[in-house]
Amino acid sequence: MKLAKSFPLFSASVTLGQARARVAAVLAAAGKEPAALESRLLLEDATGLTSLDFVIRADETLGDPQAARLLISLERRLRDEPISRILGHNDFYGLDLIVTRDVLDPRADTEMLVDRALAFLRERRLSRPKILDLGTGSGAILCAVLHATPQAFGLGVDLSPAACEVAAKNLDRCGLASRSSIICGCWADAISGCFDLIVANPPYIARPETAALAPEVVRHDPALALFGGEDGLDCYRLLARDFGRLLAKGGAIFLEIGARQAASVVEILSSEGFRDAAVFKDHGGRDRVVTVRNI
Ligand SMILES: C[S@@+](CC[C@H](N)C(=O)[O-])C[C@H]1O[C@@H](n2cnc3c(N)ncnc32)[C@H](O)[C@@H]1O
């Protein structure tokens, strides 16, 4: 194993505590931060132990099979694979969701869209709101909104059959299968009816921005989830054409956007008759969500 030769990390009788410290040091040296957290997650995954076990059993020896598994994971991380893809799951809005190579790794920034959508649903107090998630991917947004809204029903759509499978598994994993459905198709082409809440985090990276993407993103998130054409706005243009027929009276649309796309997306929505758009910033102060209502 390459890494084993370069770093004598796990020579005979290394303890769990030492292994954790050494993995953290290797990660930190490679600029993988937060190294201590990533080390803990990789160790827990390799050993099947919990955080508490690591406190209580820090002096126990790391077994050979566990060390081998840990080295493989560490090598993957050093080759820029995101930690969630190595572990096969990630936290989104407090839910532990399956993440595979076929879906976008759900981002913390997208939680902001969920916050806004939930605030809208609380304000509307509908007895059984209907929710549509276009480009559902892992189902992250749909899972989070349905989980926090017990009477709601949700429909998720994705073009990728593999992503649809992951979304269905995640809805099931969150106990939401009976209140949701997943359809494989192109945006709203196969959808009829009206929805009280429409959410979408479409691919919005402009082609010229590809070179600036982090290796974690460009090598590991599916291209179908990332790129929105030359100016990044292709999907908003396609989606906006259907919003008029899909949005119920009193309903709202929440769209995640790239940091410099607010004005363009507001204009696209306006050209489809949706005036009075509002733009919300994320915790980093960047424009992140555009919303319009059908008043
Ligand atoms: C940026 S990802 C968002 C995934 C998820 N909603 C999230 O926020 O983590 C965009 C998603 O749109 C899907 N997608 C791309 N083109 C599509 C199309 N024409 N119709 C439906 N879904 C599409 C991709 O497969 C991908 O899952």
Side-chain angles (χ1 to χ4, degrees):
M1 225 173 273
K2 243 187 317 154
L3 194 68
K5 280 186 200 139
S6 354
F7 304 95
L9 281 180
F10 312 126
S11 48
S13 72
V14 65
T15 66
L16 294 172
Q18 287 167 335
R20 193 165 141 177
R22 289 177 195 181
V23 169
V26 172
L27 289 169
K32 306 294 181 203
E33 295 292 352
L37 173 66
E38 293 202 357
S39 169
R40 175 169 72 73
L41 293 173
L42 292 181
L43 257 297
E44 286 172 16
D45 182 60
T47 59
L49 298 175
T50 65
S51 307
L52 183 61
D53 290 330
F54 270 87
V55 177
I56 301 168
R57 299 165 59 176
D59 293 333
E60 287 183 20
T61 306
L62 181 73
D64 284 348
Q66 299 168 331
R69 191 181 159 116
L70 182 58
L71 275 175
I72 290 168
S73 298
L74 184 55
E75 287 204 325
R76 287 172 67 182
R77 184 66 193 109
L78 293 176
R79 285 198 301 266
D80 298 322
E81 192 165 342
I83 197 94
S84 52
R85 295 196 185 280
I86 298 168
L87 303 178
H89 58 103
N90 197 1
D91 177 273
F92 182 79
Y93 222 80
L95 300 171
D96 184 43
L97 300 180
I98 298 165
V99 176
T100 71
R101 61 195 304 159
D102 302 304
V103 296
L104 185 93
D105 190 2
R107 306 294 206 267
D109 282 338
T110 304
E111 295 188 335
M112 145 90 193
L113 182 153
V114 175
D115 284 341
R116 295 292 171 179
L118 290 177
F120 163 76
L121 288 176
R122 278 196 298 274
E123 176 198 312
R124 283 298 318 279
R125 295 165 176 261
L126 297 165
S127 55
R128 301 177 80 82
K130 284 197 279 177
I131 295 153
L132 176 61
D133 179 12
L134 292 163
T136 196
S138 65
I141 300 173
L142 194 58
C143 287
V145 172
L146 288 180
H147 190 258
T149 318
Q151 300 303 321
F153 175 83
L155 180 60
V157 181
D158 207 285
L159 189 60
S160 155
C164 288
E165 258 182 58
V166 175
K169 279 188 191 155
N170 277 327
L171 286 158
D172 191 36
R173 188 176 168 97
C174 297
L176 300 166
S178 63
R179 293 196 281 125
S180 61
S181 200
I182 295 292
I183 290 181
C184 190
C186 184
W187 301 130
D189 285 0
I191 311 295
S192 57
C194 280
F195 297 83
D196 304 295
L197 170 67
I198 300 176
V199 289
N201 173 17
Y204 56 68
I205 294 170
R207 192 62 66 182
E209 287 169 13
T210 311
L213 292 175
E216 271 89 348
V217 176
V218 79
R219 285 201 222 134
H220 297 285
D221 280 310
L224 185 64
L226 295 178
F227 302 110
E230 208 45 40
D231 63 359
L233 299 168
D234 284 1
C235 302
Y236 300 101
R237 294 188 189 98
L238 288 171
L239 285 165
R241 288 183 203 160
D242 285 317
F243 285 156
R245 70 175 174 86
L246 292 171
L247 189 63
K249 189 84 186 149
I253 297 166
F254 291 84
L255 300 175
E256 180 165 323
I257 56 163
R260 288 186 295 276
Q261 294 174 329
S264 307
V265 173
V266 168
E267 195 182 316
I268 290 168
L269 291 167
S270 171
S271 72
E272 295 294 335
F274 290 98
R275 316 257 187 264
D276 300 323
V279 179
F280 299 111
K281 293 189 185 300
D282 61 23
H283 297 304
R286 293 165 299 234
D287 290 340
R288 183 60 62 193
V289 173
V290 171
T291 182
V292 284
R293 293 196 185 197
N294 180 8
I295 302 160

